[in-house]
Amino acid sequence: SFPTRRSSDLCIKISEGYDCRLLIYVPAYSPVKLFLENTSAEIDKYINLNCRTPMKLALEFAKRIKHKQQGGIVLMSSLAGLAGPQYTAPYAATKAFNNILGEALNWELRRVNIDVTVCCAGPVSTPSYWSSHPSHSGRNKNILDPDFVASYTLKNIGKKAICIPGRKNRLVFYILTHILPRKIAAYLVNTAMAKMYPQFK
């Protein structure tokens, strides 16, 4: 079922009985489809899952632990939120929201000893990823193992506002955002998406 506006309130209530100082938010909803095939309910799901819930959870969690010695917040995002790949418009846009939210909180919450890191991962070998039926199947060596992504992210809490697992992903990100003009970067990203999902042509 689609998450409602009360989903974040429910998560906060459930966590009240635990003395926890690390919040890790990992939503897993990333269908690959044409934008016009989305319903209004699905758009609400993206917003509730990727925007409203992480912001409210971060707020209530930070309020709860701000007087403790140390704490941390990890938001799971995506490289899609750093570009504009077709077939994932709602997902990419809401992940961009998380990137900006996490980057801002990284600066603001450090004054109360709360480290905030956003993990911007590329393709990760999960059931959700493979269910999108990418055309390269298992031939892409750049698909990351979930355990590696988790380990890399945990090691970077307090070190980086935005961490990108995988050397190749970091190199690609640097080239697309620091060397190439935005128009060319967008062309390359969307050309790659068209090759991965030729069924949408």
Side-chain angles (χ1 to χ4, degrees):
S1 62
F2 289 145
T4 66
R5 294 189 178 189
R6 295 185 177 180
S7 298
S8 56
D9 298 329
L10 178 60
C11 290
I12 292 168
K13 184 175 182 180
I14 292 174
S15 67
E16 284 179 352
Y18 298 90
D19 183 19
C20 176
R21 283 186 267 174
L22 177 62
L23 168 67
I24 302 176
Y25 186 72
V26 187
Y29 181 65
S30 54
V32 178
K33 61 196 298 185
L34 295 172
F35 179 71
L36 294 179
E37 292 181 354
N38 285 282
T39 65
S40 178
E42 287 175 306
I43 295 300
D44 284 338
K45 181 174 183 177
Y46 281 112
I47 295 171
N48 288 326
L49 194 63
N50 292 339
C51 298
R52 181 178 290 109
T53 299
M55 181 144 53
K56 292 189 69 174
L57 281 175
L59 174 64
E60 296 303 323
F61 184 76
K63 284 181 177 180
R64 184 186 305 170
I65 68 169
K66 67 179 181 179
H67 298 301
K68 298 182 181 289
Q69 266 191 333
Q70 185 118 35
I73 297 174
V74 175
L75 301 178
M76 188 67 191
S77 186
S78 169
L79 285 177
L82 300 171
Q86 59 184 327
Y87 315 140
T88 62
Y91 172 79
T94 53
K95 288 301 183 180
F97 175 92
N98 280 268
N99 296 339
I100 297 301
L101 173 64
E103 192 170 33
L105 294 182
N106 170 267
W107 284 94
E108 186 171 344
L109 295 183
R110 64 177 63 176
R111 69 190 66 177
V112 290
N113 297 316
I114 299 176
D115 296 319
V116 181
T117 294
V118 180
C119 174
C120 285
V124 181
S125 184
T126 63
S128 178
Y129 174 74
W130 292 115
S131 69
S132 70
H133 306 296
S135 64
H136 58 234
S137 297
R139 297 192 297 273
N140 190 339
K141 295 181 181 179
N142 199 40
I143 300 173
L144 299 178
D145 179 78
D147 289 339
F148 168 77
V149 173
S151 176
Y152 180 85
T153 303
L154 291 174
K155 288 178 182 177
N156 280 280
I157 298 176
K159 298 178 181 179
K160 297 180 180 180
I162 294 180
C163 71
I164 302 175
R167 292 181 180 178
K168 184 176 180 180
N169 285 334
R170 291 193 291 276
L171 176 61
V172 169
F173 165 72
Y174 184 83
I175 292 173
L176 292 178
T177 59
H178 290 77
I179 297 178
L180 297 178
R182 181 74 179 186
K183 183 176 181 179
I184 295 177
Y187 171 80
L188 292 175
V189 168
N190 282 282
T191 298
M193 285 294 287
K195 291 180 179 179
M196 285 179 66
Y197 299 101
Q199 63 267 36
F200 296 125
K201 289 183 179 180

